[in-house]
Amino acid sequence: MSGKETRGSAELALKAGFWYVVSNFFVKAISFITTPLFARLMSAEHYGEFSNYASWQSTLFLISGAELYGTLNRAYYDYTEDYDKYVSSITFLSFGITALFYAVFLLFGDAIYKIVLIPKQYVHVLFVFLLFQSCKEIFMAREKTLYRYKSVAAMSAINLVFPTIVAVVMVIMADEANRLSARIYGFYIPSAIVGIFCAVAILRKAHTVNFGHCKYALKLSLPLTLHFLTAYLLSSSNTIVTRSILNAEATAIVSITTSAVHILTILLQAVSGAVTTWMMDNLEQKRYTELRRSLLIYTVCVCAVATGVILFGPEVVWILGGTKYAQAVDLLPGMIAAVTIQSITTVFTIILTYKKRVVGAAVCTAVVAGISIAAKVFLLPSYGIRILPLINIVAYGILFICDYILVCRAGNGNVIHIGGFSGCILLLCVLTSVCGFLYANAVVRYVIIACAGVFVLALIYKKRDLVKKFVKRKYKK
């Protein structure tokens, strides 16, 4: 940070957020680009095996990682002078937790393999990856907390581009029988190597273990683990439940919709990740009025982006799946509205993490996830996949209300413009209810898109002096 930029300032937040959002969104977009390539190079059986492996990797990391890296933002304010020692302590703690889960797999492997359906020969590389994946997340969380977003951008690029290129080359060079091994080893081993460099970078600063730090981290991270694990189950249950209850065709339609929504999810997660440290800085400095205004602007912008994706819904589905998945268009608006509500609710989670009061949020998420999955199991046979968006909207709406109540009880309801938040969400839900008409009348939809485009251009023109000033400042730097 330069001397002119103070923690919590809007200028620093915009600059840091730009690097973080761009790096996360465009780097992760590589996975979408390479998906068709791997789908054509690998047999359907091998592709399915890898998808199962990747899914369990994500789930196991949520558990074995224990969200320790998620404590770094908050710990900065309590351990500013010993911050590197705190980072070192949770790095060693992550090693211990991952090793414990690895031992469980080795001791009870036969029973576990029947559940996860992962070939035994790939389990070792999985846990090596998990061990150093925690190091990568801890390293990047530390860099974000210190506003070193260029470092985060560079690491994000290396972390995905290097393993992806190695995996593509190895799959192309391998014969058909060995392409599953080529993709697993080609991606996860290089990724683990990147993690080793992150571990070295962390432990060069400090290499001590403080049990007070570990106790602090676990007290905050365990509720966060429950919160994010149940949130993950809530979002991933659409495909799982549909596959279990309905036919393959319905599952394919839901999968295409999920893929379309995932593009927006990546963007919204990147944005929420970018504002986390900035929000906590403003809470620490008690800049409540500025934070309230900025969070309302953030919510309006998130809903505006979601509206744009909804308006281009038919085109998005056509690009991803073609005309045979046209039914996915009907699901898209509601699914996008649900994900948008989830993203707005993330603001509450950040506040509760700062206040160290995430247990209530974790319990609420777990309860709502259970009710949501039960509703899908009960209603899908009667109403089909069209009921999924409504269930998701109601579930995330309940979480929005519950988490807002928790924020108020924590004493920070004053930073939330609940009328503005609720109004944006209601307008988005109204839009989803008329999308059937808009999608059936393309001319009307394109006129609305054109009007929205003109409005945005007019706004940029009106604020052109601010834009020029911002560009010139960046050009000089």
Side-chain angles (χ1 to χ4, degrees):
M1 292 184 292
S2 70
K4 297 180 180 179
E5 295 170 334
T6 57
R7 293 187 67 94
S9 68
E11 182 178 353
L12 181 59
L14 284 172
K15 183 169 72 173
F18 170 80
W19 282 100
Y20 184 73
V21 172
V22 169
S23 64
N24 264 265
F25 183 71
F26 287 104
V27 168
K28 287 184 179 180
I30 293 175
S31 62
F32 288 99
I33 297 172
T34 56
T35 294
L37 177 62
F38 284 121
R40 285 162 176 77
L41 287 172
M42 301 171 68
S43 67
E45 181 183 356
H46 282 173
Y47 190 83
E49 287 277 4
F50 182 82
S51 297
N52 178 66
Y53 187 88
S55 296
W56 277 108
Q57 173 265 304
S58 299
T59 304
L60 287 171
F61 180 69
L62 278 172
I63 302 171
S64 66
E67 284 296 323
L68 291 171
Y69 59 91
T71 69
L72 285 170
N73 281 302
R74 184 61 186 89
Y76 176 82
Y77 308 104
D78 292 326
Y79 298 109
T80 305
E81 299 300 323
D82 296 323
Y83 193 58
D84 286 328
K85 292 181 179 178
Y86 177 85
V87 175
S88 169
S89 294
I90 67 167
T91 300
F92 283 115
L93 180 58
S94 73
F95 288 158
I97 294 174
T98 305
L100 179 63
F101 275 92
Y102 187 29
V104 170
F105 260 72
L106 294 178
L107 290 172
F108 304 101
D110 291 338
I112 295 174
Y113 296 140
K114 292 178 182 179
I115 299 173
V116 300
L117 300 177
I118 294 175
K120 292 182 181 180
Q121 66 267 31
Y122 302 132
V123 167
H124 306 296
V125 70
L126 172 62
F127 276 94
V128 171
F129 168 82
L130 290 175
L131 186 71
F132 292 106
Q133 177 70 4
S134 291
C135 296
K136 283 184 288 187
E137 295 294 344
I138 291 170
F139 174 82
M140 289 197 282
R142 183 192 72 177
E143 298 298 284
K144 281 191 293 182
T145 301
L146 299 175
Y147 285 102
R148 297 170 183 165
Y149 280 81
K150 290 184 181 180
S151 172
V152 175
M155 182 54 64
S156 297
I158 294 169
N159 183 43
L160 188 59
V161 174
F162 172 52
T164 300
I165 291 175
V166 173
V168 169
V169 172
M170 288 187 64
V171 170
I172 291 174
M173 293 177 62
D175 56 70
E176 187 172 351
N178 293 309
R179 283 177 178 169
L180 174 60
S181 297
R183 189 174 183 191
I184 289 176
Y185 293 128
F187 183 85
Y188 287 103
I189 290 179
S191 188
I193 292 172
V194 175
I196 291 172
F197 282 102
C198 290
V200 171
I202 291 169
L203 299 179
R204 281 182 63 186
K205 296 282 186 180
H207 42 273
T208 60
V209 179
N210 182 302
F211 290 103
H213 293 165
C214 295
K215 182 179 178 181
Y216 174 99
L218 288 172
K219 187 176 180 180
L220 189 57
S221 70
L222 292 178
L224 282 173
T225 301
L226 176 62
H227 172 72
F228 287 113
L229 179 60
T230 52
Y232 172 76
L233 293 174
L234 180 58
S235 62
S236 64
S237 62
N238 293 321
T239 303
I240 295 171
V241 175
T242 303
R243 186 187 301 125
S244 301
I245 294 177
L246 301 180
N247 53 42
E249 182 181 352
T251 304
I253 292 170
V254 173
S255 296
I256 287 294
T257 308
T258 302
S259 297
V261 173
H262 190 56
I263 299 171
L264 178 64
T265 302
I266 288 175
L267 176 60
L268 296 182
Q269 286 177 344
V271 173
S272 65
V275 303
T276 298
T277 300
W278 170 80
M279 277 185 61
M280 290 191 178
D281 281 341
N282 279 275
L283 289 168
E284 180 73 8
Q285 297 164 19
K286 296 181 171 55
R287 300 170 66 180
Y288 300 137
T289 301
E290 180 179 336
L291 185 57
R292 177 184 173 91
R293 182 175 63 251
S294 298
L295 289 179
L296 180 59
I297 295 172
Y298 166 82
T299 301
V300 171
C301 291
V302 165
C303 289
V305 171
T307 299
V309 177
I310 288 174
L311 289 174
F312 284 102
E315 289 74 19
V316 172
V317 171
W318 180 81
I319 291 170
L320 288 175
T323 54
K324 65 179 180 179
Y325 293 108
Q327 278 184 275
V329 174
D330 297 330
L331 304 181
L332 193 62
M335 293 292 200
I336 289 175
V339 166
T340 305
I341 297 171
Q342 179 192 26
S343 178
I344 295 171
T345 306
T346 301
V347 169
F348 303 151
T349 305
I350 295 170
I351 295 172
L352 292 170
T353 301
Y354 172 81
K355 301 292 287 189
K356 304 178 190 175
R357 299 180 68 169
V358 291
V359 174
V363 172
C364 288
T365 306
V367 171
V368 171
I371 294 173
S372 171
I373 293 171
K376 290 169 188 177
V377 171
F378 180 74
L379 295 175
L380 269 176
S382 300
Y383 297 96
I385 57 176
R386 288 178 179 271
I387 198 66
L388 288 175
L390 180 59
I391 294 174
N392 287 351
I393 289 174
V394 171
Y396 287 122
I398 293 172
L399 277 179
F400 175 86
I401 295 170
C402 292
D403 284 2
Y404 174 66
I405 292 173
L406 292 173
V407 167
C408 290
R409 289 183 175 177
N412 282 118
N414 58 327
V415 304
I416 304 298
H417 194 302
I418 191 60
F421 278 38
S422 302
C424 289
I425 291 172
L426 287 173
L427 286 174
L428 191 63
C429 291
V430 169
L431 174 63
T432 64
S433 67
V434 299
C435 276
F437 170 79
L438 293 178
Y439 291 162
N441 296 270
V443 174
V444 176
R445 183 163 59 89
Y446 289 136
V447 168
I448 293 174
I449 291 172
C451 291
V454 170
F455 173 78
V456 171
L457 291 174
L459 185 63
I460 293 173
Y461 179 77
K462 185 178 179 179
K463 303 292 183 180
R464 62 189 181 279
D465 292 336
L466 289 175
V467 175
K468 289 178 181 178
K469 185 178 178 181
F470 179 79
V471 172
K472 285 181 180 178
R473 186 162 61 245
K474 296 303 175 187
Y475 179 74
K476 287 179 181 179
K477 289 181 181 180

